Amino acid sequence: MIEAETPAVWSPEVAEALPRDLCTDCGVSRSSDPRRCGRACQFIKPDYPKMEARVHGRARNPHREDERFFGPYKRMARAAMKRPREGAQWTGITTRIGERLLETGAVDAVLTMVADDADRWRPKPALITRAADMAKARGMRMGYAPLLALLEPAREAGHKRIAVIGVPCQIFALRGIEHDLGFDRVYAIGTPCSDNTTTENFHTFLNLLSDKPETITYLEFRADYHVELRFENGKVKEIPFLLLPISKLPADFFPLTCRTCVDYTNSLSDITVGYMAGQGQQWLIVRNETGEELLRLLGDEVSLSQPGTAGKRDGPVKGFLKNTELAAGGLPMRSMPNWARPIAGWLMPKVGPRGLEFARARVEMKAVETVLHLRAKLPRRIHNMVPEHVWTLVERYGLAPSLDERVSSRRHGTGDL
């Protein structure tokens, strides 16, 4: 029986995080059994073929080209809510799925992020039990938040059927421990994640983008090579990627965890809701029958079409590899002359990779980044952390594993903490 005292949007107090190497504080270390980190963590000894088979009924098919990049799926689509939700990062697909799960009684609670009371950009994990309150979860947050620390409070409050909306490192860990927790049903709604940082670092970034950063209400890295900012007064500002003040950010702005993450597309979710292949809309990766069930909840509220693709990714990925080699080696990144940046910023949306090719490029960039940064910083961990499909992605760019780096040389089991 669910306790009536539990509020509709509940952020219970949780334990302090335990010290961990390569940790994004998903929340498992704050649970009653922190030893679960050893088998749940994406950054210890991830076994993607085994996990994908457990979740989806099969591992990714290397002969189905896009599964090499995006993981197992039944179908992909460009999508948009026909009536966009106010305050949503895009049109509100993710939070509308959460609303529908609660409206239909499919779940008792949704575990997701809301804004911290004192900082609109700081994520705060919350258990939401009323559909109308899913509106509080709309929009992007930046920072680390122990979402999975709320799994045990959810169970103790009597919730039997839950949905979890999370980024890849959270969903991977969820899949590692969900069967221990006794829920009748767990829906996993994933969002892609390329890089995260602390909320404090994110404020530093905002300070570089505007002389009134406190008035920024929205920020999005778009697939047309621009960052979009919105302000309290209704003003909208678009900044080409190449004109961003990246060189002014501290070297540790993105932590090593994010620079060595191989799961940009959240491959263990039931449905991934992102934008990289959406070409101005959202991009859905429906991975299994549960994902189809989640999409059906939207009915005719959502418009769907086939993803497009255009351009070539090889040049941008090769350029990224060269710059990452310099950065991983501690040398300054090569810089484009200032006079050329506006020209390149104008050209990229027209001739660069777009749609699915843009998403493939980003996944390959993450794969390249993982290999180079692990070789530079943690070479003894590379054989545990880089799955075989990642070596396949980087092979076309001249990166190949040594005998000691191959995933097949490792022994699966609980990692050292």
Side-chain angles (χ1 to χ4, degrees):
M1 182 175 179
I2 299 174
E3 298 177 7
E5 294 80 8
T6 302
V9 180
W10 184 36
S11 295
E13 293 292 328
V14 295
E16 291 294 319
L18 295 183
R20 294 286 189 257
D21 182 26
L22 288 181
C23 182
T24 58
D25 192 16
C26 71
V28 173
S29 80
R30 299 170 183 256
S31 71
S32 63
D33 184 5
R35 294 173 299 176
R36 293 186 182 120
C37 292
R39 67 177 184 277
C41 184
Q42 173 188 352
F43 301 102
I44 296 180
K45 291 185 178 181
D47 188 338
Y48 281 92
K50 179 180 178 180
M51 296 286 281
E52 290 168 357
R54 180 193 300 170
V55 173
H56 306 305
R58 64 178 180 85
R60 67 186 67 199
N61 181 352
H63 303 296
R64 190 182 187 191
E65 181 183 9
D66 277 337
E67 290 205 356
R68 293 189 296 116
F69 298 94
F70 311 136
Y73 66 91
K74 294 187 68 175
R75 60 173 169 144
M76 294 189 289
R78 293 176 63 193
M81 296 297 294
K82 294 177 181 176
R83 184 171 65 86
R85 272 34 181 190
E86 183 180 354
Q89 192 69 11
W90 287 84
T91 61
I93 289 176
T94 305
T95 47
R96 183 57 180 152
I97 291 174
E99 287 176 355
R100 293 290 293 138
L101 285 167
L102 290 166
E103 288 172 354
T104 60
V107 301
D108 308 316
V110 176
L111 278 66
T112 185
M113 299 295 178
V114 297
D116 183 82
D117 296 336
D119 186 342
R120 76 175 83 186
W121 296 109
R122 188 180 301 278
K124 181 172 71 172
L127 277 160
I128 297 179
T129 56
R130 190 171 59 188
D133 289 314
M134 283 301 302
K136 298 177 181 178
R138 292 174 186 164
M140 185 265 281
R141 323 275 177 235
M142 183 64 78
Y144 310 113
L147 180 66
L148 301 189
L150 272 58
L151 287 169
E152 289 178 335
R155 181 189 62 191
E156 291 160 7
H159 301 303
K160 294 295 186 181
R161 303 178 308 279
I162 66 168
V164 179
I165 301 174
V167 295
C169 53
Q170 295 166 344
I171 297 300
F172 187 98
L174 169 71
R175 294 307 198 184
I177 65 173
E178 62 180 328
H179 297 297
D180 300 345
L181 300 173
F183 293 107
D184 293 342
R185 190 73 187 271
V186 177
Y187 295 90
I189 303 162
T191 58
C193 181
S194 174
D195 296 294
N196 200 353
T197 189
T198 65
T199 307
E200 291 74 18
N201 275 347
F202 186 65
H203 279 291
T204 298
F205 182 55
L206 295 179
N207 289 337
L208 294 171
L209 299 181
S210 171
D211 56 0
K212 293 185 177 180
E214 70 281 359
T215 67
I216 298 173
T217 62
Y218 176 97
L219 183 145
E220 182 60 83
F221 284 79
R222 300 190 324 213
D224 64 356
Y225 303 90
H226 286 74
V227 166
E228 179 182 346
L229 302 178
R230 300 177 192 170
F231 296 82
E232 290 175 348
N233 62 4
K235 177 183 175 183
V236 176
K237 181 179 181 180
E238 298 177 1
I239 307 172
F241 286 176
L242 290 172
L243 297 183
L244 291 172
I246 301 299
S247 62
K248 297 180 180 179
L249 296 175
D252 62 349
F253 184 84
F254 295 122
L256 190 58
T257 47
C258 295
R259 287 178 279 141
T260 57
C261 173
V262 299
D263 191 22
Y264 165 71
T265 61
N266 216 325
S267 61
L268 297 179
S269 61
D270 296 314
I271 186 171
T272 300
V273 185
Y275 74 93
M276 295 295 275
Q279 291 179 283
Q281 296 185 337
Q282 290 184 272
W283 171 39
L284 305 184
I285 309 176
V286 182
R287 300 193 177 278
N288 52 37
E289 187 51 43
T290 300
E292 292 281 10
E293 176 188 346
L294 293 168
L295 183 55
R296 284 195 296 270
L297 287 170
L298 300 180
D300 62 2
E301 296 181 33
V302 65
S303 64
L304 301 174
S305 60
Q306 285 296 114
T309 188
K312 300 293 183 182
R313 68 185 185 273
D314 294 64
V317 177
K318 288 176 182 177
F320 179 85
L321 186 152
K322 289 296 184 183
N323 274 342
T324 304
E325 284 179 328
L326 294 174
L331 297 173
M333 295 177 63
R334 293 191 302 178
S335 178
M336 180 181 292
N338 287 336
W339 63 265
R341 289 177 181 270
I343 300 172
W346 179 82
L347 279 173
M348 286 303 290
K350 297 173 175 59
V351 302
R354 283 98 73 200
L356 287 169
E357 188 72 350
F358 184 89
R360 295 178 194 119
R362 195 68 192 100
V363 169
E364 285 182 338
M365 288 176 182
K366 291 301 296 180
V368 163
E369 186 177 43
T370 292
V371 170
L372 295 180
H373 281 291
L374 282 176
R375 281 177 171 173
K377 305 295 184 182
L378 291 172
R380 296 179 65 180
R381 299 280 290 273
I382 197 168
H383 71 285
N384 284 331
M385 289 177 58
V386 181
E388 194 65 26
H389 70 264
V390 169
W391 288 116
T392 302
L393 294 178
V394 301
E395 182 180 21
R396 68 186 284 149
Y397 301 103
L399 294 177
S402 67
L403 182 62
D404 291 339
E405 290 177 334
R406 292 208 75 91
V407 67
S408 58
S409 69
R410 74 183 180 191
R411 294 190 301 271
H412 292 295
T414 299
D416 297 330
L417 301 180

